Each structure stands twice: as C-alpha cells, then as structure tokens.
Amino acid sequence: AARGFAGSIGWWMVVVAAILSMLSALQANVLAASQVARTMARDRTLLANLARVNARTGAPVAALQASALAMIAIILMVPDLASAGAAASLIFLLTFTTVHGMAILAHRRLPPEPGAFRAPFFPLPQLLGGTICAALALSQLLTDPGATAVTALWLALGALLYGSLFSGRAEVVDAFAEAHDPELALARGR
C-alpha cells in the first residue's frame, strides 16, 4: 500500500519505521525484563545477585545479563522464531485476560476510597476487554500449534522452577506483605 501511495521511497520509509519500531519494542522488553528480575530478587523470589545495581550507573547489570541469557536460550531452544513470537503474544493475551478479571475482583472486594477515580461503565470495559483477550488467546491456541507448544513448555518450566526453587521464599515475602497491608488480604478475598 505504501508503494502504491508514495512510491518506492514511501515503501522504504515504512520498512525503516517498522524496523525501528520493533527495535524500540525489543529494547523496552529487555529493560522491563531486567527490572522484573531485579524486583523479584529484591523480594527474595529470585537469586539475590540479580538485585544488585551498578554503583555508577544504577543499572541492574546482573539482571540485564540474566535477561539477555534467557533470551539467547529461548532463541537457541526454539528454532521457529515465528512460534516464539506468537507464544509471547499468547502469554500477553493470557496475562491481559487475567488482569481484566483481577480488576473486577479487586473492585468487588475492596471498599471504594473517597475521592478515588471511578471507571466509567464499570465492569463493562473489563468484561469486554477480558472476553476479547480470551477469545484471541483461544483462537491463537487453536490455530498455532507451535505457539501453543512453546507457551505450554515455557509455563511448565516456570511452574517447575517456582515450585522447586522459589515458592518458599515467595510465601514468606507474601505473608510479610499481607501482615503489613491489611487491604492486600482483603483484596485476595481472605
């Protein structure tokens, strides 16, 4: 379409813009992954070394390196990068579906704070968004067996690592957080 509208130069502009957009998204994901790893390490649900930051730059170097190693391992383990990309999309869709459901639960379980923002038409946007995300995830599960396999493997590996290495520490941190924030227990339905 760009070539028909703006000629060869327009087509190349779209290609360059798409590549820059993908590189920007990749950088954002690498930085986000390292911050998640650093926060989990600080909460004692991952290895403590991942929480260290560089004294001069403030960058979580160990977490960045661990994130990069994880990404390289995924690239080497999953020869079909299209399936890996589709699996990432599937995991995001499942996460967004869960977030929509949690927003509804939190709204029902927690008393409204005075002066707090009230979402218009609640819970319609959350129900609609959650349903659409779930439908897209189901469609992807059924139409892309490679992404389904990669997602199942990735989630199983995560569950195995959590259950065998991190659940004990996570439960301690979780109990500590609930003890210091009564609303957290209320939000969880306890």
Short mmCIF file of all heavy atoms in Angstrom, two decimals, residues 35-94:
data_model
loop_
_atom_site.label_atom_id
_atom_site.label_comp_id
_atom_site.label_asym_id
_atom_site.label_seq_id
_atom_site.Cartn_x
_atom_site.Cartn_y
_atom_site.Cartn_z
N GLN A 35 14.16 -5.31 34.97
CA GLN A 35 13.57 -4.68 36.16
C GLN A 35 12.68 -5.66 36.92
O GLN A 35 12.66 -5.66 38.15
CB GLN A 35 12.78 -3.43 35.78
CG GLN A 35 13.66 -2.26 35.40
CD GLN A 35 14.57 -1.82 36.53
OE1 GLN A 35 14.25 -1.88 37.71
NE2 GLN A 35 15.76 -1.35 36.16
N VAL A 36 11.95 -6.49 36.20
CA VAL A 36 11.13 -7.52 36.86
C VAL A 36 12.03 -8.48 37.62
O VAL A 36 11.77 -8.81 38.78
CB VAL A 36 10.25 -8.27 35.83
CG1 VAL A 36 9.64 -9.52 36.44
CG2 VAL A 36 9.17 -7.35 35.29
N ALA A 37 13.12 -8.92 36.98
CA ALA A 37 14.06 -9.83 37.65
C ALA A 37 14.68 -9.16 38.87
O ALA A 37 14.81 -9.78 39.93
CB ALA A 37 15.16 -10.27 36.67
N ARG A 38 15.04 -7.90 38.75
CA ARG A 38 15.64 -7.17 39.88
C ARG A 38 14.64 -7.05 41.03
O ARG A 38 14.98 -7.27 42.20
CB ARG A 38 16.09 -5.78 39.42
CG ARG A 38 16.69 -4.96 40.53
CD ARG A 38 17.22 -3.64 39.99
NE ARG A 38 17.52 -2.78 41.11
CZ ARG A 38 16.74 -1.79 41.52
NH1 ARG A 38 15.63 -1.52 40.91
NH2 ARG A 38 17.08 -1.07 42.55
N THR A 39 13.40 -6.72 40.72
CA THR A 39 12.39 -6.59 41.76
C THR A 39 12.11 -7.93 42.42
O THR A 39 11.97 -8.00 43.65
CB THR A 39 11.09 -6.00 41.16
OG1 THR A 39 11.40 -4.72 40.59
CG2 THR A 39 10.02 -5.84 42.21
N MET A 40 12.02 -8.98 41.62
CA MET A 40 11.80 -10.30 42.21
C MET A 40 12.97 -10.71 43.10
O MET A 40 12.76 -11.32 44.15
CB MET A 40 11.56 -11.33 41.10
CG MET A 40 10.23 -11.16 40.40
SD MET A 40 10.00 -12.32 39.04
CE MET A 40 9.82 -13.86 39.93
N ALA A 41 14.19 -10.37 42.71
CA ALA A 41 15.35 -10.67 43.54
C ALA A 41 15.31 -9.87 44.83
O ALA A 41 15.63 -10.38 45.91
CB ALA A 41 16.63 -10.40 42.77
N ARG A 42 14.90 -8.61 44.73
CA ARG A 42 14.79 -7.77 45.92
C ARG A 42 13.73 -8.32 46.87
O ARG A 42 13.86 -8.22 48.09
CB ARG A 42 14.47 -6.34 45.49
CG ARG A 42 14.83 -5.32 46.53
CD ARG A 42 14.62 -3.90 46.07
NE ARG A 42 13.25 -3.72 45.59
CZ ARG A 42 12.92 -3.04 44.50
NH1 ARG A 42 13.84 -2.48 43.76
NH2 ARG A 42 11.66 -2.91 44.14
N ASP A 43 12.69 -8.94 46.30
CA ASP A 43 11.63 -9.55 47.11
C ASP A 43 11.99 -10.97 47.54
O ASP A 43 11.14 -11.67 48.10
CB ASP A 43 10.32 -9.59 46.33
CG ASP A 43 9.69 -8.22 46.19
OD1 ASP A 43 10.09 -7.30 46.92
OD2 ASP A 43 8.79 -8.08 45.35
N ARG A 44 13.19 -11.38 47.23
CA ARG A 44 13.72 -12.69 47.58
C ARG A 44 12.99 -13.85 46.89
O ARG A 44 12.92 -14.94 47.42
CB ARG A 44 13.73 -12.90 49.10
CG ARG A 44 14.63 -11.93 49.81
CD ARG A 44 14.70 -12.18 51.27
NE ARG A 44 13.36 -12.12 51.85
CZ ARG A 44 13.07 -12.44 53.09
NH1 ARG A 44 14.03 -12.84 53.88
NH2 ARG A 44 11.86 -12.36 53.55
N THR A 45 12.43 -13.60 45.71
CA THR A 45 11.82 -14.68 44.96
C THR A 45 12.70 -15.12 43.80
O THR A 45 12.35 -16.05 43.08
CB THR A 45 10.42 -14.27 44.43
OG1 THR A 45 10.54 -13.07 43.69
CG2 THR A 45 9.45 -14.08 45.58
N LEU A 46 13.82 -14.45 43.60
CA LEU A 46 14.87 -14.88 42.67
C LEU A 46 16.21 -14.72 43.39
O LEU A 46 16.26 -14.21 44.51
CB LEU A 46 14.87 -14.03 41.40
CG LEU A 46 13.84 -14.37 40.33
CD1 LEU A 46 13.96 -13.41 39.15
CD2 LEU A 46 13.96 -15.80 39.85
N LEU A 47 17.27 -15.14 42.74
CA LEU A 47 18.59 -15.07 43.36
C LEU A 47 18.95 -13.63 43.73
O LEU A 47 18.70 -12.70 42.97
CB LEU A 47 19.64 -15.63 42.40
CG LEU A 47 19.40 -17.07 41.94
CD1 LEU A 47 20.40 -17.46 40.87
CD2 LEU A 47 19.48 -18.02 43.12
N ALA A 48 19.56 -13.46 44.90
CA ALA A 48 19.87 -12.13 45.43
C ALA A 48 20.80 -11.32 44.53
O ALA A 48 20.70 -10.10 44.47
CB ALA A 48 20.46 -12.25 46.82
N ASN A 49 21.71 -11.99 43.79
CA ASN A 49 22.65 -11.26 42.93
C ASN A 49 21.92 -10.40 41.90
O ASN A 49 22.46 -9.40 41.44
CB ASN A 49 23.56 -12.19 42.13
CG ASN A 49 24.08 -13.35 42.90
OD1 ASN A 49 23.69 -13.60 44.02
ND2 ASN A 49 24.96 -14.08 42.28
N LEU A 50 20.74 -10.82 41.48
CA LEU A 50 20.01 -10.10 40.44
C LEU A 50 19.50 -8.75 40.93
O LEU A 50 19.12 -7.91 40.12
CB LEU A 50 18.85 -10.94 39.91
CG LEU A 50 19.24 -12.25 39.25
CD1 LEU A 50 18.00 -13.03 38.83
CD2 LEU A 50 20.14 -12.01 38.06
N ALA A 51 19.53 -8.50 42.22
CA ALA A 51 19.06 -7.23 42.76
C ALA A 51 20.14 -6.16 42.78
O ALA A 51 19.84 -4.99 42.96
CB ALA A 51 18.52 -7.43 44.18
N ARG A 52 21.39 -6.58 42.57
CA ARG A 52 22.49 -5.61 42.62
C ARG A 52 22.42 -4.63 41.46
O ARG A 52 22.06 -5.00 40.34
CB ARG A 52 23.84 -6.32 42.58
CG ARG A 52 24.17 -7.05 43.85
CD ARG A 52 25.59 -7.52 43.81
NE ARG A 52 25.97 -7.97 42.48
CZ ARG A 52 26.57 -9.11 42.21
NH1 ARG A 52 26.91 -9.90 43.18
NH2 ARG A 52 26.87 -9.45 40.97
N VAL A 53 22.79 -3.39 41.74
CA VAL A 53 22.86 -2.37 40.69
C VAL A 53 24.28 -1.83 40.63
O VAL A 53 25.01 -1.83 41.61
CB VAL A 53 21.86 -1.21 40.91
CG1 VAL A 53 20.43 -1.70 40.80
CG2 VAL A 53 22.08 -0.54 42.24
N ASN A 54 24.66 -1.33 39.46
CA ASN A 54 25.96 -0.72 39.27
C ASN A 54 26.01 0.57 40.06
O ASN A 54 25.11 1.41 39.96
CB ASN A 54 26.18 -0.46 37.77
CG ASN A 54 27.54 0.11 37.49
OD1 ASN A 54 27.84 1.24 37.85
ND2 ASN A 54 28.38 -0.68 36.83
N ALA A 55 27.06 0.76 40.84
CA ALA A 55 27.17 1.94 41.70
C ALA A 55 27.23 3.24 40.90
O ALA A 55 26.70 4.26 41.33
CB ALA A 55 28.41 1.83 42.59
N ARG A 56 27.83 3.21 39.75
CA ARG A 56 27.99 4.42 38.95
C ARG A 56 26.75 4.73 38.11
O ARG A 56 26.28 5.86 38.07
CB ARG A 56 29.21 4.28 38.04
CG ARG A 56 29.57 5.55 37.29
CD ARG A 56 30.86 5.41 36.49
NE ARG A 56 30.87 4.30 35.57
CZ ARG A 56 30.33 4.32 34.33
NH1 ARG A 56 29.73 5.41 33.91
NH2 ARG A 56 30.39 3.26 33.56
N THR A 57 26.19 3.70 37.46
CA THR A 57 25.09 3.95 36.52
C THR A 57 23.72 3.67 37.11
O THR A 57 22.72 4.14 36.59
CB THR A 57 25.25 3.08 35.26
OG1 THR A 57 25.16 1.70 35.64
CG2 THR A 57 26.56 3.36 34.56
N GLY A 58 23.65 2.85 38.15
CA GLY A 58 22.37 2.48 38.73
C GLY A 58 21.65 1.39 37.93
O GLY A 58 20.52 1.05 38.21
N ALA A 59 22.31 0.85 36.91
CA ALA A 59 21.72 -0.19 36.07
C ALA A 59 21.81 -1.55 36.76
O ALA A 59 22.82 -1.88 37.37
CB ALA A 59 22.45 -0.25 34.73
N PRO A 60 20.76 -2.33 36.67
CA PRO A 60 20.79 -3.69 37.24
C PRO A 60 21.55 -4.64 36.30
O PRO A 60 20.95 -5.40 35.55
CB PRO A 60 19.31 -4.06 37.36
CG PRO A 60 18.66 -3.29 36.25
CD PRO A 60 19.46 -2.02 36.10
N VAL A 61 22.87 -4.58 36.34
CA VAL A 61 23.72 -5.28 35.37
C VAL A 61 23.48 -6.78 35.40
O VAL A 61 23.30 -7.41 34.35
CB VAL A 61 25.21 -4.94 35.61
CG1 VAL A 61 26.10 -5.73 34.67
CG2 VAL A 61 25.44 -3.45 35.44
N ALA A 62 23.46 -7.38 36.58
CA ALA A 62 23.26 -8.83 36.67
C ALA A 62 21.89 -9.23 36.12
O ALA A 62 21.77 -10.24 35.43
CB ALA A 62 23.42 -9.29 38.11
N ALA A 63 20.87 -8.44 36.41
CA ALA A 63 19.53 -8.74 35.90
C ALA A 63 19.48 -8.58 34.38
O ALA A 63 18.83 -9.38 33.69
CB ALA A 63 18.49 -7.85 36.57
N LEU A 64 20.17 -7.57 33.86
CA LEU A 64 20.24 -7.39 32.40
C LEU A 64 20.93 -8.58 31.75
O LEU A 64 20.48 -9.10 30.72
CB LEU A 64 20.98 -6.11 32.06
CG LEU A 64 20.17 -4.82 32.08
CD1 LEU A 64 21.09 -3.61 32.02
CD2 LEU A 64 19.19 -4.79 30.93
N GLN A 65 22.04 -9.03 32.36
CA GLN A 65 22.77 -10.17 31.81
C GLN A 65 21.92 -11.44 31.88
O GLN A 65 21.89 -12.22 30.92
CB GLN A 65 24.08 -10.36 32.56
CG GLN A 65 25.08 -9.25 32.29
CD GLN A 65 26.27 -9.28 33.22
OE1 GLN A 65 26.23 -9.85 34.31
NE2 GLN A 65 27.36 -8.64 32.80
N ALA A 66 21.21 -11.64 32.98
CA ALA A 66 20.36 -12.83 33.11
C ALA A 66 19.22 -12.78 32.08
O ALA A 66 18.88 -13.81 31.48
CB ALA A 66 19.79 -12.92 34.52
N SER A 67 18.65 -11.60 31.87
CA SER A 67 17.58 -11.46 30.87
C SER A 67 18.11 -11.75 29.47
O SER A 67 17.46 -12.43 28.68
CB SER A 67 16.98 -10.05 30.91
OG SER A 67 16.39 -9.81 32.16
N ALA A 68 19.30 -11.24 29.17
CA ALA A 68 19.91 -11.49 27.86
C ALA A 68 20.20 -12.98 27.67
O ALA A 68 19.93 -13.54 26.60
CB ALA A 68 21.19 -10.67 27.71
N LEU A 69 20.71 -13.63 28.73
CA LEU A 69 20.97 -15.07 28.64
C LEU A 69 19.69 -15.86 28.42
O LEU A 69 19.66 -16.81 27.65
CB LEU A 69 21.71 -15.56 29.88
CG LEU A 69 23.18 -15.21 29.97
CD1 LEU A 69 23.75 -15.62 31.33
CD2 LEU A 69 23.95 -15.86 28.85
N ALA A 70 18.64 -15.46 29.11
CA ALA A 70 17.34 -16.13 28.93
C ALA A 70 16.85 -15.97 27.50
O ALA A 70 16.35 -16.92 26.89
CB ALA A 70 16.32 -15.59 29.92
N MET A 71 16.99 -14.77 26.95
CA MET A 71 16.56 -14.54 25.57
C MET A 71 17.39 -15.34 24.57
O MET A 71 16.85 -15.91 23.62
CB MET A 71 16.61 -13.05 25.25
CG MET A 71 15.53 -12.27 25.93
SD MET A 71 15.69 -10.53 25.57
CE MET A 71 14.92 -9.84 27.01
N ILE A 72 18.69 -15.41 24.81
CA ILE A 72 19.55 -16.21 23.93
C ILE A 72 19.17 -17.69 24.03
O ILE A 72 19.10 -18.40 23.01
CB ILE A 72 21.04 -15.98 24.28
CG1 ILE A 72 21.45 -14.56 23.87
CG2 ILE A 72 21.93 -17.02 23.60
CD1 ILE A 72 22.79 -14.11 24.42
N ALA A 73 18.90 -18.16 25.24
CA ALA A 73 18.49 -19.55 25.42
C ALA A 73 17.19 -19.84 24.68
O ALA A 73 17.06 -20.89 24.04
CB ALA A 73 18.33 -19.86 26.91
N ILE A 74 16.26 -18.91 24.73
CA ILE A 74 15.00 -19.10 24.02
C ILE A 74 15.25 -19.17 22.51
O ILE A 74 14.69 -20.04 21.82
CB ILE A 74 14.01 -17.97 24.35
CG1 ILE A 74 13.55 -18.08 25.81
CG2 ILE A 74 12.80 -17.99 23.42
CD1 ILE A 74 12.81 -16.86 26.30
N ILE A 75 16.08 -18.29 22.01
CA ILE A 75 16.38 -18.28 20.57
C ILE A 75 17.03 -19.61 20.16
O ILE A 75 16.71 -20.16 19.11
CB ILE A 75 17.29 -17.09 20.21
CG1 ILE A 75 16.49 -15.79 20.32
CG2 ILE A 75 17.88 -17.25 18.81
CD1 ILE A 75 17.34 -14.53 20.22
N LEU A 76 17.92 -20.14 21.01
CA LEU A 76 18.58 -21.40 20.68
C LEU A 76 17.66 -22.61 20.85
O LEU A 76 17.75 -23.58 20.10
CB LEU A 76 19.83 -21.58 21.54
CG LEU A 76 20.95 -20.56 21.29
CD1 LEU A 76 22.08 -20.76 22.29
CD2 LEU A 76 21.46 -20.65 19.87
N MET A 77 16.76 -22.56 21.83
CA MET A 77 15.87 -23.69 22.09
C MET A 77 14.69 -23.74 21.12
O MET A 77 14.16 -24.80 20.86
CB MET A 77 15.33 -23.64 23.53
CG MET A 77 16.36 -23.95 24.58
SD MET A 77 15.71 -24.12 26.26
CE MET A 77 14.62 -22.75 26.46
N VAL A 78 14.26 -22.59 20.63
CA VAL A 78 13.09 -22.54 19.76
C VAL A 78 13.56 -22.16 18.36
O VAL A 78 13.78 -20.99 18.08
CB VAL A 78 12.06 -21.51 20.29
CG1 VAL A 78 10.84 -21.50 19.41
CG2 VAL A 78 11.69 -21.81 21.72
N PRO A 79 13.71 -23.16 17.50
CA PRO A 79 14.23 -22.85 16.16
C PRO A 79 13.26 -22.01 15.31
O PRO A 79 13.67 -21.29 14.43
CB PRO A 79 14.46 -24.22 15.54
CG PRO A 79 13.60 -25.16 16.30
CD PRO A 79 13.45 -24.57 17.66
N ASP A 80 11.97 -22.12 15.59
CA ASP A 80 10.97 -21.38 14.83
C ASP A 80 10.66 -20.08 15.58
O ASP A 80 9.85 -20.05 16.50
CB ASP A 80 9.71 -22.24 14.68
CG ASP A 80 8.63 -21.55 13.89
OD1 ASP A 80 8.90 -20.51 13.26
OD2 ASP A 80 7.50 -22.08 13.89
N LEU A 81 11.33 -18.99 15.17
CA LEU A 81 11.14 -17.71 15.87
C LEU A 81 9.72 -17.17 15.72
O LEU A 81 9.25 -16.44 16.59
CB LEU A 81 12.16 -16.69 15.38
CG LEU A 81 13.58 -16.94 15.85
CD1 LEU A 81 14.52 -15.85 15.35
CD2 LEU A 81 13.66 -17.04 17.36
N ALA A 82 9.03 -17.54 14.64
CA ALA A 82 7.64 -17.10 14.48
C ALA A 82 6.78 -17.69 15.61
O ALA A 82 5.93 -17.00 16.17
CB ALA A 82 7.10 -17.51 13.12
N SER A 83 7.03 -18.95 15.96
CA SER A 83 6.29 -19.58 17.06
C SER A 83 6.65 -18.93 18.39
O SER A 83 5.79 -18.76 19.25
CB SER A 83 6.58 -21.08 17.13
OG SER A 83 5.99 -21.73 16.04
N ALA A 84 7.92 -18.56 18.56
CA ALA A 84 8.33 -17.88 19.80
C ALA A 84 7.63 -16.53 19.92
O ALA A 84 7.14 -16.16 21.00
CB ALA A 84 9.84 -17.71 19.83
N GLY A 85 7.56 -15.79 18.82
CA GLY A 85 6.85 -14.51 18.83
C GLY A 85 5.38 -14.68 19.10
O GLY A 85 4.77 -13.93 19.87
N ALA A 86 4.77 -15.69 18.47
CA ALA A 86 3.35 -15.96 18.69
C ALA A 86 3.11 -16.41 20.14
O ALA A 86 2.09 -16.08 20.74
CB ALA A 86 2.85 -17.02 17.72
N ALA A 87 4.07 -17.16 20.71
CA ALA A 87 3.95 -17.58 22.11
C ALA A 87 4.00 -16.37 23.04
O ALA A 87 3.24 -16.30 24.01
CB ALA A 87 5.05 -18.57 22.46
N ALA A 88 4.87 -15.42 22.74
CA ALA A 88 4.93 -14.20 23.55
C ALA A 88 3.60 -13.46 23.47
O ALA A 88 3.08 -12.98 24.49
CB ALA A 88 6.07 -13.31 23.07
N SER A 89 3.04 -13.38 22.28
CA SER A 89 1.74 -12.74 22.10
C SER A 89 0.68 -13.48 22.90
O SER A 89 -0.17 -12.86 23.56
CB SER A 89 1.38 -12.73 20.61
OG SER A 89 0.06 -12.30 20.43
N LEU A 90 0.71 -14.80 22.86
CA LEU A 90 -0.26 -15.61 23.58
C LEU A 90 -0.14 -15.39 25.09
O LEU A 90 -1.15 -15.25 25.79
CB LEU A 90 -0.06 -17.09 23.23
CG LEU A 90 -0.99 -18.10 23.87
CD1 LEU A 90 -2.45 -17.76 23.58
CD2 LEU A 90 -0.67 -19.49 23.37
N ILE A 91 1.09 -15.32 25.59
CA ILE A 91 1.29 -15.10 27.02
C ILE A 91 0.77 -13.71 27.42
O ILE A 91 0.13 -13.54 28.46
CB ILE A 91 2.77 -15.30 27.42
CG1 ILE A 91 3.10 -16.79 27.33
CG2 ILE A 91 3.06 -14.76 28.80
CD1 ILE A 91 4.56 -17.12 27.49
N PHE A 92 1.00 -12.70 26.58
CA PHE A 92 0.45 -11.37 26.86
C PHE A 92 -1.07 -11.41 26.88
O PHE A 92 -1.71 -10.82 27.76
CB PHE A 92 0.93 -10.34 25.83
CG PHE A 92 2.26 -9.75 26.13
CD1 PHE A 92 3.33 -9.96 25.28
CD2 PHE A 92 2.46 -8.97 27.26
CE1 PHE A 92 4.58 -9.41 25.55
CE2 PHE A 92 3.70 -8.42 27.55
CZ PHE A 92 4.76 -8.64 26.69
N LEU A 93 -1.69 -12.10 25.93
CA LEU A 93 -3.15 -12.18 25.90
C LEU A 93 -3.70 -12.87 27.15
O LEU A 93 -4.69 -12.41 27.74
CB LEU A 93 -3.62 -12.92 24.64
CG LEU A 93 -3.50 -12.13 23.34
CD1 LEU A 93 -3.74 -13.05 22.14
CD2 LEU A 93 -4.48 -10.96 23.33
N LEU A 94 -3.05 -13.94 27.57
CA LEU A 94 -3.48 -14.63 28.80
C LEU A 94 -3.30 -13.72 30.02
O LEU A 94 -4.14 -13.69 30.92
CB LEU A 94 -2.70 -15.94 28.97
CG LEU A 94 -2.98 -17.01 27.91
CD1 LEU A 94 -2.00 -18.18 28.07
CD2 LEU A 94 -4.42 -17.49 27.99
#
